[in-house]
Each structure stands twice: as C-alpha cells, then as structure tokens.
Amino acid sequence: MDQRQDTNQWVSKRKRAREKIISYKRPSPSKKKNTNCMSLPEMIVKGEEEIHPETSLNKDYMEQLDSQEDLFGDYDSFADDSGFLAQLEDVGRSPAESGKEDRKDAAAEFLMTYQNLNLLHYLQNDKNNMRKHPAKNVPLATGEAVKDSLIGQKSGQNNNAASEQICMEGFSVMHPRSPDETDELPSSQLAFSEQFNSPLRKYETKELQSETSRVLNCCLTDPPDVPSVLENETLNLNIVQNQSRTTNSGTSRRMSLKDQMKNAMAGNAMAPTSKASKSKKMKEIALSEEINVAMKTIEATSGADIGPFYGLPSKVKDLIFQFRGIKELYEWQHTCLTLESVQSRKNLIYSLPTSGGKTLVAEILIMQELLCRKNDALFILPYVAIVQEKVRGLSAFGIEFNFLVEEYAGSKGKFPPIKRRQKKSLYIATIEKAHSLVNALIETERITSLGLIVVDELHMLGEGSRGAVLEMTLSKILYTSKTTQIIGMSATLNNVSDLQHFLKAEHFASNFRPVQLKEYVKICDKIYEVDNKSEDYFTFSRILSYKYSSNMEKIDPDHLIALVTEVIPNYSCLVFCPTKKNCENVNKMLCKYLNKSFITIKEKEKCAVIQELKNIGNGMICPILRNTVPYGLAYHHSGLTNDERKLIEDAYTAGILCLLACTSTLAAGVNLPARRVILRSPYVARDFLKRSQYKQMIGRAGRAGMNTEGESILIAQESDKKLVSNLISKPLEGCYSNLIYDNEKGIKDLLLSLIGLKVTQTLHQIVEFMAGTLLGVQQQQFFKEKSFLEVIEQALESLMEKGLIKDKISSCNNEGKMYHKLEVTKLGHATFKGSIDLAYCDSLNMDLKKGLEGLVLGNYLHLIYLVTPYDIVSQCIPDWMIYFRQFHQLDAVEQKVFATVGVPESFLTKKASCQTVKKTVDDFVAARFYLSLVLYSLFKEMNTWAVAQKFNMARGFLQNLLNSAATFSSSVQHFCEELEEFWAYHALFKDLTHKLSYCVKPELVPLMEVSGVQEARARQLYKAGYKSLTYLANANPEVLVKTIEHMSKRQANQIVSSAKMLLNEKAEALQEEVEELLRLPIDLPLQTESTVTAH
C-alpha cells in the first residue's frame, strides 16, 4: 500500500513537471515583455541565429537580473515548508525508483521554482555539519547540492529569473569573465569561481574534474529540452564526466538528500575568502560602513515629523504646551527664530526685558541642533539651582526624542564626557563646569562635536571672577572651533557692540514684555510713579492710607505692612532686603501685626509645610519659620539648606505661601514671580544698587501666565532721592572684561590653560588669541599707560616664576634666530587640569607633599583637611572655646592629626583661655583646620541641624561649605592624577569626593543622584519602597503623588523624567563601553592564508 502511494506521488510529480515546462515556454500575459530580457528557452532558440554563444548569455543574464524587482517573489522560506522537507526525506529513501526520467522532470521543475535563498542561510547555521565538511570539499558540496536540489522541489510562480540565474551560473564555467567583470564580484563569489573554473580549464586532478562534471551533469545532461547549441560546449567535458562517476558516489548514496543539501550549504559557508588586494578590501569595509550609517540615519529619522514646528517634530510643540502651558509663540520669538542669521547658523545675541520669554527660544534652538543637525549642545547657566531646574524640565524632551540631558554642576559631570556613537547629548552646566568641559573637549580633539553653545545671562561676563571664566570659555570656542554656533541671551545691554565684536555675532533686541510693569518709588508716605518724561522722573501717584499707631510707626517706619496688605493674601509678593538678617526681621515684624484671619487661609496645607520642615531637620525647625508659615510668610536666603529652600519655593509657587522676604540672589536664581515686588532699600549690604540689579529685581513682577499685571515699589529715603533718580533713569552699565580682575589673575589662568592645551605655544600665537578676547576688544579702555603686549609678557613672566610654564628652544629659523616654544611644567599641567586657583597651587602642592610624610589614615580627618577649600577660610572666624572642646571630644588617633597639620593642643589651650600665644602657629592653617573639624562632623553625623548648633553656624553656610569641599576634592583628585609622586592619593580622593558629594547614608545616594532630589525627599522615596534609580525611573507619577507627602503632580513628573534620563545615560555609557571593547579596529592588518601559514 505504501509503495503504491509512493508510485502515485511520483507519477503526479512528473505530470506537474511536464505541465509547468509547457507553461514555462509560454510568456506570461500579465507582464510586459522586455525585449532585452529573454527567457531561457527564447535565448536558446535564438542562439543559433543571433546570439553568439561566447558572449550573449552572460550579458543577457545580467540585464535580466537588473530588470527584476524581486528575484524570489513572495516565497519566504523553505525552512518553514514541512512538505518540502518531507519530500527531501522521501526522495532520499527511494533514489533508484525515480529513474532518469524523474530526474529530468525534477530538473525542469527546479528551473521554474527554485526561488528561495533563505534555505541557504537556514542550512548554513548547522554548526555540526560545518565541522564535518571542511572547506576543501566545497566544489563537491556545491555540485551535489545543485544536483540533489533538482529533485523534489515544490513548484512556484514567476520563476523565470530564478531558473535562468541558476543555469547561467552553470554555463558561466565555460565562459570565463573578463578581468573587469571579475573585479566587480564579491570576494565570496571570486573564491567559488576560482575553485569552480580552475579544474575545468586545467584538468589538474581527476577528483576535481569529476566534481565539476557532476555540476554540469545536473544542469546540462538531464533536462529534456536543452538546446543543441550547448552540446558542442559540453562534448569537451564528457570525458571528464565519465572518468570519475564513482568518486564519491558511494558516500552520497548513503546520505539522505536533505543531509546532502545541508552539508553542501555548510561547505559553502566555510568557503575561504579570496586573496583580494588590501585596498579593495578597505574599500568594501568603507562602503559597508557608509551603508550602515545611512541605514541608521534612515531608521532614526523615519518616524520623526521634522518640519512643522520650526524644523522640529510637531511633538515638540505638543510637549511645550503640556509642560509649559504655551500654545503659541510671541511675535518676537517667531521673528527671532526665523532670522537669516539663525538660519545660516551665525552667532547671535538677543536682548529682552526679564520675563520676555528668552529661554523658550534658546530651548527651541537647542533642540534644532540635537534633532535636526545631530550635534551636541551646551547650555551655560549661572547657578546650580537653575541648572538642576533646567535638567528636570528638559529631561522629558530627551526621553521623548532620544537624546541625553547631562548635568554638570557641583561635583557632577564626567571629564572628558563620554563619547556617544548614536545618541546626542545636551550638557547643562554652570559657568565653571562649562569651562572644564570645553577644556576636556579641546584636549581630546572633540570640540567640533559641540554644534551649539547657549549662554544665559550673558551680561555676567562683567561680573568678577565668574565673568572671567565665562570669557575664557567663549574665547576658546571661538578660536578652536569655527563650526560651533554661539547664542547669547541677556537683558538689555549698554555696550552690546563690544560683545558683538567679541562673539562675531549679530544682535536682536526687543522691548516686549507680556505683562505690563509699572514702577513706583515710595518716599515717606508718598508713592511716585516712574515717568521718563518728567523732569525728575517722578510723578506723584498717591498717599498711603493705612492707619498706623505710634507704636507701629516706630516698628515699621517704611510702611511695609501697608504695602504688603494691599496685595496679600489674594496675590503674591516679594520683599527684597539688603541683608539676610533683615529678611528674618521683616518676617517677624509682619506676623506681629497681620490679621489673625491669615492663619485660616489654606491652614491644612501650611501645617503640612511645617511638618515637612521638621522632617528635613530631623524633628527640628527654625523658630522664625514655625511662627511665620501659618501666616503664609517665609524668608529665603543662603542661610537655609537646599531642602528648606526647595520646600519654600514649591510652597510659594503652589500659593500656600503668599510672601517671601529674600535677598538679591533670588532675583538671579529660580523663577519665583510675584504680583508686587518691594525693594526694602536701594542698597545691597553697603553698596548702592546697580541699574542691572534693579532691573533684575523688578523683573520678577508680573510674570506671564501667572499675573495679568505687575508692579514694583522701591522704598527710599528723602536723602537718597537724587541717587534713586539716577538709578531709574540712567542706562544700564556696560559689560567689561574681568580678565584683569584681582591682579590680572584671569589672564594668568587663561594663558596657563592655553599653553597646557597646546592651543597656543608661541608669543605670536598668544597675542593673536588674546586679540580675540573681550579684553582684546576693549584693550584701549583698559591699558593707557602700557601696551596690551606688555601685560601679556608680564603675565607669562609671573607664570614662569611660579614654575608653571617654561621656555623651550625648539628650532632655528632661516635667519639664524632661536625659535622659542612655551610649555607647561608638570606642576602647571596639574594646576590647569585640576582647575586650581593660581594663588593656592603652591600651598596645595606643599600640603600634599607634607601629607605623604605622615598621612593619618585611621579616619578621614586628615584627608578632609587636605580638601578643605582655601578660599572659604576668610569667611569663618574660629570660636576658640568650641575649638578646644572639640579637640577633647576626639579619640587619640583623631587628635594625632592636629599635631600632624601643625595645630598643637597647647596652642588651643592658650587661645581658649585668651592667653598670649607666640607666633609659632600659622593662623591660616588653624582657621582652615577649624573648618575641617566642621566638615568632619558633617561627615560623621550627617545632620546639618546638630552640627550647626554645635559650631554656632548657619545651616546654609554649612551646606555651602560641604558643596565647596566636594567640588575642591574633585579638583584635588585631578591635580594628583597628573603628578606621579601623588599616586597614593588617587583612590583616596576619588572615594572621598563621592562621600562628600552626598554626605548621607549609602542607601540614599542612588536616589540623590537624580537632579533635584535632596536628602529629605530621598528619605521619603526610600521609605515608600523606591530604593534605587531603577525603581524611581519606572515609577508611576500618579502613584508617587498619592504615596509621597507634599509632592505635586508636576514634581512627580519631573522626578520620574530625571530618573529615566539618568538611567538611560548610565545604560548608554555601559553600552558604549561594550561596543568599544568589541569594535574591530579599522586599521587592523589584513592577513591572507599564505601569510598565516608562513607564520
């Protein structure tokens, strides 16, 4: 019964094969006939009349291949066709029964239906067969595979191209290609051609000749309708075919056809590559790399809707509305974004009043650079708090559009930054960190990867040492990268032409303000409106009508109570005070006379704020805040910890607090607008207000989206009326270079880094560079008694005297004069790499050397002393009694550090008892070590409140000290890495920097790495079960709002977005490291088999 079924199957197969041969000879009516592309029978019939057998087959075959859109039709894979595999097994069991006629029919069917090359890949993956059949059997394997595949193949449709391809490859052995054609072939095909054709041309061995004949026998002998024009070509090979019919026939008969095909394909996979020239292989590698890059680009941009929103995906506009509530841009913003200078990537400075919407334009330009031009971008901001706020705000955009947002502030930031192969990075940095980042990119020759630099508050170029650092950064960018675009934004500037000349930039200015601002001045009980048309710039407005008692007049002579009660509690109010102490006193005074009904407004929310302040202080709270918060009042200055400031800012933004008494630093810090802004005095400490400071403070009044109008009131005395008149009427101060600030310290720092980075190494190059700085632009205003060149030469001499640079004679020119080249010494290189202040580099070097002689490692006190910042020592006067008590509370190992650094117990005893002390102890060292004890207490206790009480210091000062120590520790670490003698410090300072950066329990560190998450918030998250960055990145913001007390939806979204961004950044860094390790070097020497054998 089984034999009868098998016989019926083979009869059906032969019938189908004959039918397909007939249909194969007829052209398909559904396709347009191509006269240049003939089917195989047509080529054979016409061959006797028109086609030369030596040339036309190959030509038409290639043309036909080019004309086919899909060589393999709709057929996916033979590997998934169980019927086909079953037929292979069936044929393998009964090869003798099929006979010669069956083989002919199957061959014809093969010519029509062989259209799937996926089987090749499927069979090549059989590793066992690859090991069993080495590359030397490739000719036999190929011939057997083609021959056996003629039997049992399923029929298909549209198979002319496939069948002709197979046969043409069989015919090509008789017609060798020209050298030009051979050069165009892939290396794998060249290898097969060499092994396949050489035995037919040379008849070297019977085995190879036999193997070749088997291939020809499959394609030429068995099919029934082979044209006679080919018979002459095959006669010469008949002898070869007959000589070795049984070479390996026994082995092949014992194996199933399926196994034979698998073996054949495995042999093909192991075929050796051709010994092509190195240049050709390099070209193939380069072409392959270009194709990969192109494919990645297509994949990256295929889903992006680039174009609708200023060349950006329309999703950007949606996110701006979602996170900022902005539906449409202002007219000036549209004008600025469509400027020709912006489109052509020229440098630009744009100036507008505060709250005009400058930042949004900058963010759109940044995303154009990241998404459209695929370049990195750097956003420079003045303060750490603003950097953290911007990182939180832009992280959601980075997650959506697949770019990284990296924070460079405080101790955060990697130098040099990780080189990304796929994702682009937005670096958000403070002024100092941006300078270090640019230095690292210049040193690693990656500065051109920065496509755009945006500078907020560009007028800070004129503000002391920080302005000098910003000028250095921009000058280096201008000199080293001609492709980097610089965008500067600022309030209105007086001498903007100097900045244009310096930055080679165009200028855009507007007086637009979305909310009208009215300016007032209060003198006595009269309020005047600022009027530029008036002679003295004052126009009388009104008299305060608030009734004061005699007692109130004494306590509140400036009528603050009357001014604030006109606004609060329905609207918000900011009161700028000249000192921190004045902020606290204003809060206490206002609460004393405010109506008790203020307490009942949002009472529950205020109680929650008080409880949260207690949690931050581990049960302790500032008594002033405990009394003022119920009235909706608080103070805001540097005496608060970061956690406390953040909580107060959030409560004010949410409307829980309606008034903040603050110092001028808030004006340049976070975005806290108000309906009314009151300037308690025209002084900041003892200095009269500058026009720029005044404008910045009043600019907080009436922010768009929060108020419909805004007003400012400056409280002044009659004696200051003339000064106030000048303040409100004079133009803004000019912006001038600060490189000569503090005894030309900025010039020296700049020259040292330029020589260390090898940007400039001769006097001529230095002069050329300095001419392009803002100081170079303004040199005539600064140097009247001596030339700019003399200033530069004096700075270089000072660096040589310190041993930071040296003059090296490099070569001689044609005139016989010596060519001088400047180089940094080892100490100079370490100084600029660590960003060490030149005033303290010698002291740091000596302290580190002294520490090596007797470093106490029983605790962290000695190491903390070495990283205690030098520049903060002057801000602290030791309390000698506290100093003495702290000494006796330490153990013996800790007390040993006192003697090691040079502060003996006898010295402390005399100081504490007010006795005369001989000048044997350096007062600076003693004061610095006192700060080290403060840091050591913070390091051990991790409780700011307790340490503040122990040393009688403000909490904010302690936190600032801790942050400065962490930053300086990082600098000292880089300093030591450049000097071999300090190798022992490398690991010690790296660990110490990490501990000082957070100074919390180890389990909270991963959470505090997220931008904006402070210690108190980290404790809340950890208690709620979010114990790592991964937990937080995968958190649901809605669940966070319900789980974490006093967390708004906006805060939850920002925290989750920041956590996701940080997690992506870390994962990307690890992936880049893996790819770098596994990447094949492009310049890897290529070796042929003969070379390997020879070795």
Side-chain angles (χ1 to χ4, degrees), residues 22 77 82 153 177 202 270 356 367 388 410 530 603 652 655 682 784 792 831 836 853 987 1027:
I22 295 173
S77 176
S82 59
Q153 178 72 351
R177 294 179 175 86
K202 300 181 180 180
M270 299 181 64
M367 281 186 278
Q388 293 176 342
V530 175
E603 185 175 4
Y652 177 82
K784 297 181 178 179
I792 294 172
T831 300
I836 305 297
E853 297 174 1
K1027 299 183 178 180

Side-chain angles (χ1 to χ4, degrees), residues 113 518 815 923 960 971:
T113 62
K518 293 182 179 180
E815 298 177 359
D923 290 336
N960 180 54
S971 297

Side-chain angles (χ1 to χ4, degrees), residues 429-489:
T430 58
I431 292 173
E432 292 76 15
K433 285 293 183 177
H435 184 226
S436 299
L437 179 65
V438 168
N439 283 344
L441 291 174
I442 292 174
E443 188 174 22
T444 55
E445 299 181 351
R446 291 166 48 195
I447 191 63
T448 54
S449 65
L450 273 183
L452 176 68
I453 293 182
V454 176
V455 183
D456 191 14
E457 310 293 353
L458 186 63
H459 61 269
M460 290 198 70
L461 279 167
E463 298 187 10
S465 59
R466 303 194 77 208
V469 175
L470 181 57
E471 184 178 345
M472 294 180 208
T473 304
L474 297 176
S475 299
K476 290 174 183 177
I477 289 289
L478 290 166
Y479 191 84
T480 57
S481 177
K482 305 303 180 185
T483 59
T484 303
Q485 184 183 17
I486 298 176
I487 303 291
M489 53 179 173

Side-chain angles (χ1 to χ4, degrees), residues 232-243:
N232 294 332
E233 300 294 339
T234 58
L235 285 175
N236 296 330
L237 299 175
N238 286 338
I239 300 175
V240 180
Q241 298 174 19
N242 295 329
Q243 282 179 343

Side-chain angles (χ1 to χ4, degrees), residues 404-418:
L404 298 175
V405 179
E406 302 186 38
E407 179 182 345
Y408 280 76
S411 60
K412 292 184 178 180
K414 187 175 180 61
F415 302 102
I418 298 174

Side-chain angles (χ1 to χ4, degrees), residues 1-264:
M1 187 69 180
D2 293 338
Q3 293 179 354
R4 187 179 306 167
Q5 290 179 351
D6 293 341
T7 304
N8 291 336
Q9 288 178 359
W10 286 111
V11 170
S12 299
K13 280 184 58 184
R14 289 197 295 272
K15 183 177 180 181
R16 287 197 304 270
R18 294 190 192 99
E19 292 173 351
K20 289 181 180 179
I21 294 172
I22 295 173
S23 63
Y24 174 74
K25 295 179 181 179
R26 299 192 186 101
S28 175
S30 61
K31 292 187 177 181
K32 184 177 179 180
K33 187 173 182 181
N34 188 346
T35 56
N36 295 326
C37 179
M38 296 179 293
S39 65
L40 181 60
E42 289 174 329
M43 291 173 61
I44 297 171
V45 171
K46 287 187 178 183
E48 298 179 354
E49 302 174 2
E50 302 174 6
I51 304 173
H52 193 283
E54 296 291 325
T55 59
S56 60
L57 285 177
N58 197 32
K59 176 180 177 182
D60 291 339
Y61 162 63
M62 295 304 295
E63 291 178 352
Q64 182 177 0
L65 286 183
D66 292 340
S67 69
Q68 297 297 321
E69 294 180 358
D70 187 356
L71 189 61
F72 306 112
D74 297 326
Y75 209 96
D76 290 331
S77 176
F78 286 144
D80 297 330
D81 191 343
S82 59
F84 170 67
L85 297 177
Q87 286 186 29
L88 287 178
E89 295 288 354
D90 195 9
V91 174
R93 286 193 299 268
S94 58
E97 297 176 8
S98 60
K100 183 176 181 180
E101 183 180 355
D102 291 343
R103 292 197 302 272
K104 292 180 180 181
D105 294 342
E109 185 175 356
F110 162 81
L111 291 173
M112 295 179 288
T113 62
Y114 192 83
Q115 51 183 326
N116 188 346
L117 292 185
N118 286 337
L119 178 60
L120 170 65
H121 304 295
Y122 172 80
L123 296 176
Q124 283 177 336
N125 290 331
D126 191 336
K127 297 182 179 179
N128 294 329
N129 287 328
M130 289 175 66
R131 288 193 293 267
K132 293 178 181 179
H133 301 275
K136 68 179 183 178
N137 292 328
V138 169
L140 173 62
T142 306
E144 292 294 342
V146 175
K147 181 175 180 179
D148 292 335
S149 65
L150 299 178
I151 304 174
Q153 178 72 351
K154 276 195 170 184
S155 61
Q157 297 177 353
N158 301 328
N159 47 25
N160 293 355
S163 60
E164 288 178 27
Q165 179 182 358
I166 299 299
C167 287
M168 288 306 102
E169 290 179 353
F171 298 150
S172 66
V173 300
M174 297 174 292
H175 305 288
R177 294 179 175 86
S178 65
D180 293 337
E181 292 176 50
T182 305
D183 289 340
E184 298 299 326
L185 292 176
S187 58
S188 60
Q189 189 169 339
L190 283 173
F192 176 77
S193 179
E194 289 175 3
Q195 293 182 352
F196 194 72
N197 290 332
S198 57
L200 296 177
R201 291 193 299 265
K202 300 181 180 180
Y203 306 104
E204 291 180 356
T205 64
K206 291 184 178 181
E207 181 179 356
L208 290 176
Q209 292 166 2
S210 173
E211 291 162 356
T212 305
S213 66
R214 289 176 184 273
V215 178
L216 295 175
N217 190 36
C218 292
C219 292
L220 302 178
T221 306
D222 293 338
D225 292 320
V226 176
S228 59
V229 71
L230 297 176
E231 293 179 0
N232 294 332
E233 300 294 339
T234 58
L235 285 175
N236 296 330
L237 299 175
N238 286 338
I239 300 175
V240 180
Q241 298 174 19
N242 295 329
Q243 282 179 343
S244 54
R245 285 286 184 180
T246 61
T247 304
N248 289 312
S249 58
T251 304
S252 63
R253 288 194 184 97
R254 287 192 299 269
M255 299 173 61
S256 70
L257 291 180
K258 179 180 178 181
D259 291 337
Q260 291 181 43
M261 289 189 70
K262 293 172 69 174
N263 295 340

